[in-house]
Amino acid sequence: MSTEAIVMMVIAMLLLWGGLVVAVISLNRRPDPSDESYDPDHLHRDL
Amino acid sequence: MATAGPQDGTQQTGGQEARRGAFSSRKVFILAAIGSAVGLGNIWRFPYVAYENGGGAFVIPYLIALLTAGLPFLFLDYALGHKHRGSAPLSMARENRKAEPLGWWQVGICFVIAVYYAVIIAYALRYTFFSVNKAWGDDPEGYFFGEFLQTSDPGVTLDFVAGVLIALLVVWAAVLLIMGLGVQKGIGATSVVFIPLLVLAFGFLVVRALFLPGAADGLDTLFTPDWDALTNASVWAAAFGQIFFSLSIGFGIMITYASYVGRRTDMTGSGMVVGLSNSGFELLAGIGVFAALGFMAQANGTAVDEVVADGIGLAFVAFPTIISEAAGGSLIGVLFFGSLVIAGLTSLISVLEVVVSAVRDKFDLRRLTAVLVVGVPATVLSVVLFSTTSGLLVLDIVDYFINQFGILLVAVVTMVVLGLALRALPGLAAHLNRHGSLRLGKVWMAMVAVVTPLALGYVLVRAFIDTVKEPYGGYPDWMLNVFGWGTAALVLIVALVITFARRTAVTPADETDQEVDR
């Protein structure tokens, strides 16, 4: 493969796959309200 | 699942959601949405489009199209369904009564797509098994069009092909069973199992392909940038077209799925994950397909650009050739065609759900009744039109016309009507901003109301001019008029008839913010 092709492949991977990883991480920082662990009632019981 | 509060409103909402069905969590919704977006187009269309339109340089228009058109439009669909808690027509009607026909237009398009999409999955299903003993022998092309499909001359026949017919019935039985099981137990559960399996199977296929001799030449062909391409309008049109067709936006699917999601869910954050997963999978497909094509070129002693193909030709002619020539070819075949089956099935389910959900909302039917009311005619039409010796010809025409003058047209009209005529965007942005991590403001509105309709409108006008100038695919005029223009027009007429034949009262969605038990 030519250097130019490798560079473009790596850029595409970084942007799309890297972007996906960032999107997943930032979404997971916010709890899912429909998830049981987020339930305020459950939280009370745990406390 | 959070508590159902004691208020009356919440209990009422609980009843509504129990009746319509819902995804049990954000994760299930995201997997179902990825299942819908990742379809045959990701695997057999993207690699070719990228190669044809600048190779490595294509990444620039592609990303710009994703950010300025794909994601903004995805958020529009999400906002409609999530705010109004209804199928495409009901959500449109709740947004504004005048918009209801747009929803039925989308439903009609989905019905047409479901009818022919199923048969491609049937082909892939047969080929998953053919791969084991390489049933096509040393002439994959002759085998596919001749022995397997027994393709007739242009025209319409009622000569059924048993090998296609039986596989098609199996596909429809599986799809209707999944649909009958409901939103969570059917669609949700299928996505939770099959999407990770798809990524695993396809990932394994890509790794195998990368170790084939000649793979690097294939990647070189795909990724070598042609910077001059960026000055070419058709390259930009291709990028917007690819993003648009690949993301399952604009024809009701994402409206429908979003209506099954918890009210406090971060829809914009979820949308980023769905959009980037879809594009990420396309990149993976591009790498896998071109690595395999590189091997094929080397084995044939030709240049890679002489073996590049897309669609049916890539899947059912080029890949069988690769499978026959590569060491461990049967495994490559089972992984490739198995991936097509899974990617296709999860997309077909989403397309059909648009219709089932709309029929349920309009006629107040039980789920199983709606699945049969939609599924039985769809199966019959699918069998009569596409499991015959003329099936592939009709499929090719219907697919082209419904994509260009169905999906693309309704998308442009929807954006103009909602964005400019009905001024619906500020309310929809406010809805998503209540719980969304990515705030939508004037930039989003400009993208949806101006940039995307202009870009897609350009793609549409080009397609229209091309189609009028030169009969598509060289088919006889009567076939193009009946199955092409005719289908596209019929869908629109039926949409208007359904909207006005039975005008039911539209009550606004309950906008309480409470989560409910499912």
Side-chain angles (χ1 to χ4, degrees):
Chain A
M1 280 180 81
S2 69
T3 319
E4 219 182 358
I6 292 172
V7 168
M8 289 319 291
M9 183 171 82
V10 171
I11 288 176
M13 286 171 169
L14 282 177
L15 289 172
L16 292 176
W17 295 347
L20 175 60
V21 170
V22 171
V24 170
I25 291 172
S26 73
L27 184 68
N28 279 335
R29 284 221 188 99
R30 295 166 68 91
D32 174 9
S34 51
D35 188 353
E36 202 142 310
S37 58
Y38 181 71
D39 187 340
D41 272 10
H42 283 264
L43 215 67
H44 279 298
R45 279 196 286 278
D46 286 349
L47 292 171
Chain B
M1 274 161 273
T3 55
Q7 308 96 312
D8 289 338
T10 314
Q11 280 162 2
Q12 192 189 344
T13 314
Q16 186 191 359
E17 309 232 330
R19 207 172 62 239
R20 293 193 74 245
F23 292 121
S24 66
S25 70
R26 182 174 72 190
K27 191 179 118 193
V28 177
F29 159 64
I30 289 175
L31 286 171
I34 293 172
S36 171
V38 172
L40 302 174
N42 295 60
I43 298 174
W44 76 20
R45 191 169 186 273
F46 171 80
Y48 182 82
V49 171
Y51 158 77
E52 276 282 294
N53 293 284
F58 185 70
V59 74
I60 292 169
Y62 179 81
L63 270 177
I64 290 175
L66 176 66
L67 296 175
T68 61
L71 291 170
F73 201 166
L74 185 66
F75 296 152
L76 172 69
D77 275 355
Y78 280 179
L80 282 166
H82 196 250
K83 181 178 183 189
H84 298 301
R85 323 293 304 164
S87 57
L90 181 60
S91 292
M92 290 284 187
R94 280 176 173 164
E95 181 58 45
N96 190 307
R97 202 59 208 256
K98 292 183 190 129
E100 188 180 342
L102 291 174
W104 286 109
W105 192 0
Q106 297 177 332
V107 170
I109 289 167
C110 284
F111 185 84
V112 171
I113 294 173
V115 165
Y116 73 77
Y117 205 83
V119 79
I120 305 175
I121 303 172
Y123 297 168
L125 186 62
R126 288 300 310 273
Y127 267 70
T128 311
F129 293 99
F130 289 167
S131 298
V132 177
N133 62 352
K134 297 158 193 158
W136 46 77
D138 51 11
D139 180 16
E141 187 168 0
Y143 183 84
F144 178 70
F145 293 105
E147 205 166 322
F148 178 56
L149 293 183
Q150 300 164 30
T151 306
S152 65
D153 293 330
V156 180
T157 73
L158 277 177
D159 301 331
F160 291 97
V161 181
V164 178
L165 175 69
I166 294 166
L168 184 57
L169 289 174
V170 170
V171 169
W172 276 109
V175 168
L176 296 186
L177 178 71
I178 294 169
M179 306 296 298
L181 285 171
V183 174
Q184 172 59 28
K185 287 185 184 148
I187 300 170
T190 303
S191 311
V192 167
V193 173
F194 282 107
I195 295 308
L197 186 66
L198 172 65
V199 174
L200 266 178
F202 205 85
F204 194 78
L205 171 72
V206 172
V207 171
R208 176 69 193 96
L210 287 172
F211 283 100
L212 290 170
D217 295 336
L219 295 184
D220 196 54
T221 307
L222 174 62
F223 286 105
T224 299
D226 168 15
W227 298 111
D228 291 341
L230 296 186
T231 57
N232 189 341
S234 70
V235 169
W236 288 84
F240 278 87
Q242 176 61 28
I243 284 289
F244 173 77
F245 287 122
S246 156
L247 212 46
S248 291
I249 43 181
F251 56 110
I253 296 175
M254 291 299 167
I255 299 179
T256 309
Y257 273 14
S259 77
Y260 299 141
V261 185
R263 286 158 193 276
R264 287 181 291 170
T265 302
D266 172 1
M267 294 303 284
T268 44
S270 304
M272 293 296 288
V273 173
V274 173
L276 285 162
S277 296
N278 179 61
S279 291
F281 192 90
E282 291 198 318
L283 179 61
L284 188 68
I287 292 170
V289 165
F290 268 81
L293 290 173
F295 162 76
M296 182 177 162
Q298 196 183 69
N300 295 355
T302 55
V304 180
D305 53 16
E306 285 175 38
V307 296
V308 174
D310 69 340
I312 297 273
L314 173 73
F316 299 106
V317 179
F319 257 89
T321 311
I322 292 160
I323 292 160
S324 289
E325 288 167 350
S330 294
L331 178 65
I332 295 178
V334 171
L335 290 172
F336 177 76
F337 289 111
S339 295
L340 280 184
V341 171
I342 296 175
L345 202 66
T346 47
S347 297
L348 175 60
I349 290 167
S350 72
V351 167
L352 211 59
E353 180 62 16
V354 173
V355 190
V356 168
S357 159
V359 168
R360 285 194 76 194
D361 282 349
K362 181 88 172 180
F363 301 99
D364 208 15
L365 300 177
R366 284 168 49 231
R367 182 165 186 93
L368 208 57
T369 315
V371 168
L372 292 175
V373 164
V374 173
V376 171
T379 307
V380 171
L381 273 173
S382 187
V383 165
V384 171
L385 285 171
F386 300 109
S387 67
T388 62
T389 54
S390 55
L392 185 62
L393 312 174
V394 176
L395 186 155
D396 188 28
I397 297 172
V398 177
D399 177 52
Y400 175 79
F401 278 81
I402 207 72
N403 270 289
Q404 305 297 336
F405 310 113
I407 301 179
L408 194 52
L409 183 59
V410 76
V412 174
V413 174
T414 302
M415 283 181 288
V416 171
V417 168
L418 291 180
L420 299 176
L422 302 176
R423 307 261 167 201
L425 300 184
L428 293 171
H431 173 82
L432 288 189
N433 285 342
R434 270 161 88 184
H435 300 291
S437 54
L438 192 81
R439 296 201 67 78
L440 304 182
K442 289 213 165 62
V443 175
W444 175 72
M445 292 178 215
M447 295 297 171
V448 173
V450 183
V451 176
T452 314
L454 278 177
L456 293 181
Y458 175 74
V459 177
L460 181 65
V461 170
R462 279 178 66 108
F464 183 75
I465 293 170
D466 286 350
T467 314
V468 170
K469 253 201 232 157
E470 197 178 333
Y472 172 73
Y475 292 104
D477 280 346
W478 73 267
M479 279 188 89
L480 294 177
N481 290 338
V482 173
F483 297 109
W485 298 112
T487 308
L490 185 68
V491 163
L492 185 54
I493 294 165
V494 171
L496 292 170
V497 170
I498 294 181
T499 307
F500 297 108
R502 188 172 187 268
R503 297 230 86 177
T504 42
V506 175
T507 48
D510 186 329
E511 289 212 42
T512 76
D513 223 10
Q514 290 287 330
E515 288 298 330
V516 288
D517 284 321
R518 282 176 269 272

